[in-house]
PDB file of all heavy atoms in Angstrom:
ATOM      1  N   PRO B 165      -1.404 -82.266 -77.277  1.00 89.00           N
ATOM      2  CA  PRO B 165      -1.172 -82.970 -78.547  1.00 89.00           C
ATOM      3  C   PRO B 165       0.123 -82.581 -79.251  1.00 89.00           C
ATOM      4  O   PRO B 165       0.331 -82.952 -80.391  1.00 89.00           O
ATOM      5  CB  PRO B 165      -2.366 -82.506 -79.374  1.00 89.00           C
ATOM      6  CG  PRO B 165      -2.584 -81.095 -78.922  1.00 89.00           C
ATOM      7  CD  PRO B 165      -2.266 -81.089 -77.445  1.00 89.00           C
ATOM      8  N   SER B 166       1.022 -81.809 -78.575  1.00 89.00           N
ATOM      9  CA  SER B 166       2.228 -81.309 -79.251  1.00 89.00           C
ATOM     10  C   SER B 166       3.473 -81.563 -78.408  1.00 89.00           C
ATOM     11  O   SER B 166       4.114 -80.622 -77.914  1.00 89.00           O
ATOM     12  CB  SER B 166       2.080 -79.810 -79.545  1.00 89.00           C
ATOM     13  OG  SER B 166       0.963 -79.550 -80.360  1.00 89.00           O
ATOM     14  N   PRO B 167       3.855 -82.829 -78.224  1.00 92.00           N
ATOM     15  CA  PRO B 167       5.089 -83.097 -77.486  1.00 92.00           C
ATOM     16  C   PRO B 167       6.307 -82.658 -78.291  1.00 92.00           C
ATOM     17  O   PRO B 167       6.270 -82.611 -79.517  1.00 92.00           O
ATOM     18  CB  PRO B 167       5.056 -84.615 -77.293  1.00 92.00           C
ATOM     19  CG  PRO B 167       4.257 -85.119 -78.459  1.00 92.00           C
ATOM     20  CD  PRO B 167       3.209 -84.069 -78.713  1.00 92.00           C
ATOM     21  N   GLY B 168       7.380 -82.334 -77.591  1.00 94.00           N
ATOM     22  CA  GLY B 168       8.607 -81.940 -78.263  1.00 94.00           C
ATOM     23  C   GLY B 168       9.053 -80.547 -77.855  1.00 94.00           C
ATOM     24  O   GLY B 168       8.620 -79.993 -76.837  1.00 94.00           O
ATOM     25  N   TYR B 169       9.924 -79.958 -78.669  1.00 94.00           N
ATOM     26  CA  TYR B 169      10.426 -78.613 -78.415  1.00 94.00           C
ATOM     27  C   TYR B 169       9.384 -77.565 -78.806  1.00 94.00           C
ATOM     28  O   TYR B 169       8.647 -77.732 -79.778  1.00 94.00           O
ATOM     29  CB  TYR B 169      11.699 -78.342 -79.229  1.00 94.00           C
ATOM     30  CG  TYR B 169      12.938 -79.039 -78.723  1.00 94.00           C
ATOM     31  CD1 TYR B 169      13.592 -79.987 -79.501  1.00 94.00           C
ATOM     32  CD2 TYR B 169      13.488 -78.716 -77.483  1.00 94.00           C
ATOM     33  CE1 TYR B 169      14.748 -80.608 -79.059  1.00 94.00           C
ATOM     34  CE2 TYR B 169      14.639 -79.332 -77.034  1.00 94.00           C
ATOM     35  CZ  TYR B 169      15.265 -80.278 -77.820  1.00 94.00           C
ATOM     36  OH  TYR B 169      16.409 -80.892 -77.383  1.00 94.00           O
ATOM     37  N   HIS B 170       9.395 -76.457 -78.063  1.00 96.00           N
ATOM     38  CA  HIS B 170       8.567 -75.301 -78.382  1.00 96.00           C
ATOM     39  C   HIS B 170       9.336 -74.039 -78.029  1.00 96.00           C
ATOM     40  O   HIS B 170      10.122 -74.016 -77.081  1.00 96.00           O
ATOM     41  CB  HIS B 170       7.244 -75.329 -77.597  1.00 96.00           C
ATOM     42  CG  HIS B 170       6.321 -76.432 -77.994  1.00 96.00           C
ATOM     43  ND1 HIS B 170       5.344 -76.283 -78.948  1.00 96.00           N
ATOM     44  CD2 HIS B 170       6.249 -77.716 -77.565  1.00 96.00           C
ATOM     45  CE1 HIS B 170       4.694 -77.430 -79.085  1.00 96.00           C
ATOM     46  NE2 HIS B 170       5.225 -78.314 -78.261  1.00 96.00           N
ATOM     47  N   TRP B 171       9.081 -72.990 -78.805  1.00 96.00           N
ATOM     48  CA  TRP B 171       9.610 -71.661 -78.507  1.00 96.00           C
ATOM     49  C   TRP B 171       8.529 -70.811 -77.853  1.00 96.00           C
ATOM     50  O   TRP B 171       7.348 -70.927 -78.185  1.00 96.00           O
ATOM     51  CB  TRP B 171      10.078 -70.960 -79.771  1.00 96.00           C
ATOM     52  CG  TRP B 171      11.367 -71.437 -80.352  1.00 96.00           C
ATOM     53  CD1 TRP B 171      11.530 -72.209 -81.474  1.00 96.00           C
ATOM     54  CD2 TRP B 171      12.685 -71.157 -79.869  1.00 96.00           C
ATOM     55  NE1 TRP B 171      12.861 -72.427 -81.721  1.00 96.00           N
ATOM     56  CE2 TRP B 171      13.592 -71.798 -80.748  1.00 96.00           C
ATOM     57  CE3 TRP B 171      13.190 -70.443 -78.776  1.00 96.00           C
ATOM     58  CZ2 TRP B 171      14.979 -71.721 -80.578  1.00 96.00           C
ATOM     59  CZ3 TRP B 171      14.563 -70.368 -78.600  1.00 96.00           C
ATOM     60  CH2 TRP B 171      15.430 -71.008 -79.492  1.00 96.00           C
ATOM     61  N   GLU B 172       8.942 -69.906 -76.978  1.00 95.00           N
ATOM     62  CA  GLU B 172       8.004 -68.967 -76.355  1.00 95.00           C
ATOM     63  C   GLU B 172       8.747 -67.689 -75.968  1.00 95.00           C
ATOM     64  O   GLU B 172       9.826 -67.761 -75.367  1.00 95.00           O
ATOM     65  CB  GLU B 172       7.378 -69.583 -75.104  1.00 95.00           C
ATOM     66  CG  GLU B 172       6.333 -68.682 -74.451  1.00 95.00           C
ATOM     67  CD  GLU B 172       5.749 -69.311 -73.201  1.00 95.00           C
ATOM     68  OE1 GLU B 172       6.509 -69.946 -72.437  1.00 95.00           O
ATOM     69  OE2 GLU B 172       4.537 -69.159 -72.986  1.00 95.00           O
ATOM     70  N   PRO B 173       8.182 -66.512 -76.309  1.00 95.00           N
ATOM     71  CA  PRO B 173       8.809 -65.262 -75.866  1.00 95.00           C
ATOM     72  C   PRO B 173       8.575 -65.049 -74.374  1.00 95.00           C
ATOM     73  O   PRO B 173       7.520 -65.391 -73.844  1.00 95.00           O
ATOM     74  CB  PRO B 173       8.096 -64.198 -76.703  1.00 95.00           C
ATOM     75  CG  PRO B 173       6.758 -64.797 -77.023  1.00 95.00           C
ATOM     76  CD  PRO B 173       6.992 -66.278 -77.149  1.00 95.00           C
ATOM     77  N   LEU B 174       9.570 -64.491 -73.706  1.00 93.00           N
ATOM     78  CA  LEU B 174       9.453 -64.136 -72.299  1.00 93.00           C
ATOM     79  C   LEU B 174       9.306 -62.628 -72.161  1.00 93.00           C
ATOM     80  O   LEU B 174       9.831 -61.866 -72.978  1.00 93.00           O
ATOM     81  CB  LEU B 174      10.676 -64.603 -71.513  1.00 93.00           C
ATOM     82  CG  LEU B 174      10.955 -66.108 -71.460  1.00 93.00           C
ATOM     83  CD1 LEU B 174      12.236 -66.376 -70.678  1.00 93.00           C
ATOM     84  CD2 LEU B 174       9.787 -66.849 -70.848  1.00 93.00           C
ATOM     85  N   SER B 175       8.614 -62.207 -71.115  1.00 90.00           N
ATOM     86  CA  SER B 175       8.428 -60.778 -70.836  1.00 90.00           C
ATOM     87  C   SER B 175       8.929 -60.498 -69.423  1.00 90.00           C
ATOM     88  O   SER B 175       8.140 -60.429 -68.472  1.00 90.00           O
ATOM     89  CB  SER B 175       6.955 -60.390 -70.977  1.00 90.00           C
ATOM     90  OG  SER B 175       6.493 -60.629 -72.283  1.00 90.00           O
ATOM     91  N   PRO B 176      10.236 -60.350 -69.247  1.00 91.00           N
ATOM     92  CA  PRO B 176      10.773 -60.128 -67.899  1.00 91.00           C
ATOM     93  C   PRO B 176      10.269 -58.816 -67.307  1.00 91.00           C
ATOM     94  O   PRO B 176      10.084 -57.818 -68.014  1.00 91.00           O
ATOM     95  CB  PRO B 176      12.281 -60.077 -68.121  1.00 91.00           C
ATOM     96  CG  PRO B 176      12.510 -60.740 -69.440  1.00 91.00           C
ATOM     97  CD  PRO B 176      11.297 -60.442 -70.258  1.00 91.00           C
ATOM     98  N   THR B 177      10.052 -58.817 -66.008  1.00 89.00           N
ATOM     99  CA  THR B 177       9.690 -57.598 -65.295  1.00 89.00           C
ATOM    100  C   THR B 177      10.963 -56.870 -64.874  1.00 89.00           C
ATOM    101  O   THR B 177      12.060 -57.433 -64.868  1.00 89.00           O
ATOM    102  CB  THR B 177       8.843 -57.923 -64.068  1.00 89.00           C
ATOM    103  OG1 THR B 177       9.598 -58.779 -63.181  1.00 89.00           O
ATOM    104  CG2 THR B 177       7.554 -58.643 -64.471  1.00 89.00           C
ATOM    105  N   THR B 178      10.811 -55.599 -64.535  1.00 88.00           N
ATOM    106  CA  THR B 178      11.934 -54.780 -64.084  1.00 88.00           C
ATOM    107  C   THR B 178      11.538 -54.073 -62.800  1.00 88.00           C
ATOM    108  O   THR B 178      10.519 -53.367 -62.782  1.00 88.00           O
ATOM    109  CB  THR B 178      12.327 -53.743 -65.139  1.00 88.00           C
ATOM    110  OG1 THR B 178      12.603 -54.407 -66.381  1.00 88.00           O
ATOM    111  CG2 THR B 178      13.553 -52.961 -64.697  1.00 88.00           C
ATOM    112  N   PRO B 179      12.277 -54.231 -61.705  1.00 85.00           N
ATOM    113  CA  PRO B 179      11.934 -53.544 -60.453  1.00 85.00           C
ATOM    114  C   PRO B 179      11.964 -52.029 -60.625  1.00 85.00           C
ATOM    115  O   PRO B 179      12.701 -51.500 -61.463  1.00 85.00           O
ATOM    116  CB  PRO B 179      13.033 -54.018 -59.482  1.00 85.00           C
ATOM    117  CG  PRO B 179      13.561 -55.282 -60.082  1.00 85.00           C
ATOM    118  CD  PRO B 179      13.444 -55.099 -61.567  1.00 85.00           C
ATOM    119  N   PRO B 180      11.166 -51.306 -59.852  1.00 87.00           N
ATOM    120  CA  PRO B 180      11.169 -49.837 -59.933  1.00 87.00           C
ATOM    121  C   PRO B 180      12.564 -49.270 -59.693  1.00 87.00           C
ATOM    122  O   PRO B 180      13.308 -49.732 -58.824  1.00 87.00           O
ATOM    123  CB  PRO B 180      10.204 -49.423 -58.809  1.00 87.00           C
ATOM    124  CG  PRO B 180       9.330 -50.617 -58.593  1.00 87.00           C
ATOM    125  CD  PRO B 180      10.193 -51.809 -58.868  1.00 87.00           C
ATOM    126  N   GLY B 181      12.925 -48.292 -60.511  1.00 83.00           N
ATOM    127  CA  GLY B 181      14.213 -47.627 -60.359  1.00 83.00           C
ATOM    128  C   GLY B 181      15.368 -48.304 -61.064  1.00 83.00           C
ATOM    129  O   GLY B 181      16.491 -47.789 -61.048  1.00 83.00           O
ATOM    130  N   LEU B 182      15.122 -49.463 -61.708  1.00 82.00           N
ATOM    131  CA  LEU B 182      16.186 -50.176 -62.409  1.00 82.00           C
ATOM    132  C   LEU B 182      15.935 -50.124 -63.911  1.00 82.00           C
ATOM    133  O   LEU B 182      14.832 -50.405 -64.369  1.00 82.00           O
ATOM    134  CB  LEU B 182      16.258 -51.633 -61.949  1.00 82.00           C
ATOM    135  CG  LEU B 182      17.296 -52.503 -62.672  1.00 82.00           C
ATOM    136  CD1 LEU B 182      18.702 -52.085 -62.261  1.00 82.00           C
ATOM    137  CD2 LEU B 182      17.073 -53.984 -62.365  1.00 82.00           C
ATOM    138  N   ASP B 183      16.950 -49.757 -64.671  1.00 84.00           N
ATOM    139  CA  ASP B 183      16.844 -49.754 -66.123  1.00 84.00           C
ATOM    140  C   ASP B 183      17.242 -51.125 -66.659  1.00 84.00           C
ATOM    141  O   ASP B 183      18.334 -51.614 -66.356  1.00 84.00           O
ATOM    142  CB  ASP B 183      17.749 -48.685 -66.734  1.00 84.00           C
ATOM    143  CG  ASP B 183      17.281 -47.277 -66.407  1.00 84.00           C
ATOM    144  OD1 ASP B 183      16.062 -47.089 -66.279  1.00 84.00           O
ATOM    145  OD2 ASP B 183      18.148 -46.395 -66.267  1.00 84.00           O
ATOM    146  N   PRO B 184      16.399 -51.770 -67.460  1.00 87.00           N
ATOM    147  CA  PRO B 184      16.773 -53.050 -68.062  1.00 87.00           C
ATOM    148  C   PRO B 184      17.868 -52.837 -69.102  1.00 87.00           C
ATOM    149  O   PRO B 184      18.104 -51.703 -69.542  1.00 87.00           O
ATOM    150  CB  PRO B 184      15.476 -53.531 -68.710  1.00 87.00           C
ATOM    151  CG  PRO B 184      14.726 -52.276 -69.017  1.00 87.00           C
ATOM    152  CD  PRO B 184      15.069 -51.316 -67.911  1.00 87.00           C
ATOM    153  N   PRO B 185      18.548 -53.893 -69.516  1.00 90.00           N
ATOM    154  CA  PRO B 185      19.639 -53.714 -70.491  1.00 90.00           C
ATOM    155  C   PRO B 185      19.168 -53.178 -71.829  1.00 90.00           C
ATOM    156  O   PRO B 185      19.919 -52.502 -72.526  1.00 90.00           O
ATOM    157  CB  PRO B 185      20.224 -55.121 -70.617  1.00 90.00           C
ATOM    158  CG  PRO B 185      19.159 -56.041 -70.127  1.00 90.00           C
ATOM    159  CD  PRO B 185      18.431 -55.286 -69.064  1.00 90.00           C
TER     160      PRO B 185
END
Side-chain angles (χ1 to χ4, degrees):
S166 301
Y169 286 117
H170 292 268
W171 285 105
E172 183 181 39
L174 298 178
S175 299
T177 60
T178 305
L182 177 70
D183 292 328

